[in-house]
Amino acid sequence: MAKRGRKYQEAAAKVDADTNYSRAEAVKLIKETAYTNFDPTVEVHFRLGVDPRHADQQVREVVVLPHGLGKEVRVLVFAEGEDARMAEEAGADIIADDEIIKKIQDGWVDFDVAIAVPSMMGKVGRLGRVLGPRGLMPNPRAGTVAQPDDLPDLIRETKAGRVEFRVDRTANLHVPIGKASFTEEQLMDNLQYLIDAVTRARPAAAKGMFIRKIVMANTMGPPIKVDVAEAIG
């Protein structure tokens, strides 16, 4: 294993790897262990008691974090005519016309979230090879396929801090909740909103303890274990 740098070792020395910290303690440590020259992203990692191989144990949901993510979210919308005008007025960064669709087919993906109206899904479906592996494919279950009347609110929510989470093949979730420059109160609020959303997303087929482990970390920083019992109340 490669030796960690001095700054990482100094940050890791502030964390007891055997301790499960309260949410407040973990958030405090997140800020104390941020050592990069840029404003690192704070992520929360969950280990869930599900078997993702079974369709009835999938975990997928969205949450609107009260304090956003602390970064600009570039939103692309697949829409035409009046729908495109509404999307543009609501703050969409890119309207995907035929020229943009051709660019995406060629591998261009310079945006963070893609939203589509149902009438465009025929064209969008041809982009699955490019968008699917990057998690950018509009999907009704994820709420990124919307009726025209719902477009403005969805675009505003997305740019404000709407986050989708989905269990991976190893039964883990990896979700950003903001930046290390956020105040402790902002990170606490975002963390609690996320924990509540994950708890509500428990599938009926899940057995036993659902949230089994929570770990927080900032970009390039050491992992900080969170006391699950305290976190879920």
Side-chain angles (χ1 to χ4, degrees), residues 48-51 56-57 59 201-210 212:
L48 302 181
V50 297
D51 186 344
D56 62 355
Q57 295 190 46
V59 178
R202 174 179 180 142
K207 305 298 182 184
M209 182 181 291
F210 178 51
R212 298 188 174 181

Side-chain angles (χ1 to χ4, degrees), residues 5 19 27 29-30 41 54 78 82 90 114 127 136-137 166 168 175 177 185 194 230-232:
T19 297
V27 164
L29 281 170
I30 278 290
T41 296
H54 299 291
F78 293 96
E82 180 64 16
L127 306 175
L136 293 171
M137 189 71 178
R166 183 178 186 179
D168 66 16
V175 193
I177 62 164
E185 290 75 16
L194 175 60
E230 188 268 348
I232 64 178

Side-chain angles (χ1 to χ4, degrees), residues 64-71 159-163 177-179 182-193:
V64 179
L65 300 176
H67 303 291
L69 290 172
K71 70 171 187 176
K159 293 184 75 68
R162 185 179 188 272
V163 179
I177 62 164
K179 296 288 187 178
F182 282 20
T183 66
E184 291 183 22
E185 290 75 16
Q186 288 174 322
L187 287 172
M188 278 288 289
D189 287 347
N190 281 2
L191 174 62
Q192 193 58 56
Y193 264 70

Side-chain angles (χ1 to χ4, degrees), residues 108-121:
W108 178 82
V109 286
D110 189 17
F111 50 91
D112 301 300
V113 178
I115 296 170
V117 294
S119 62
M120 291 292 289
M121 287 305 292

Side-chain angles (χ1 to χ4, degrees), residues 14 32 37 69 72-73 76 80 89 94 121-122 174-175 193 232:
K14 300 177 181 179
E32 291 179 359
N37 293 328
L69 290 172
E72 180 184 356
V73 179
L76 177 145
E80 294 177 324
E89 289 182 354
I94 307 159
M121 287 305 292
H174 312 279
V175 193
Y193 264 70
I232 64 178

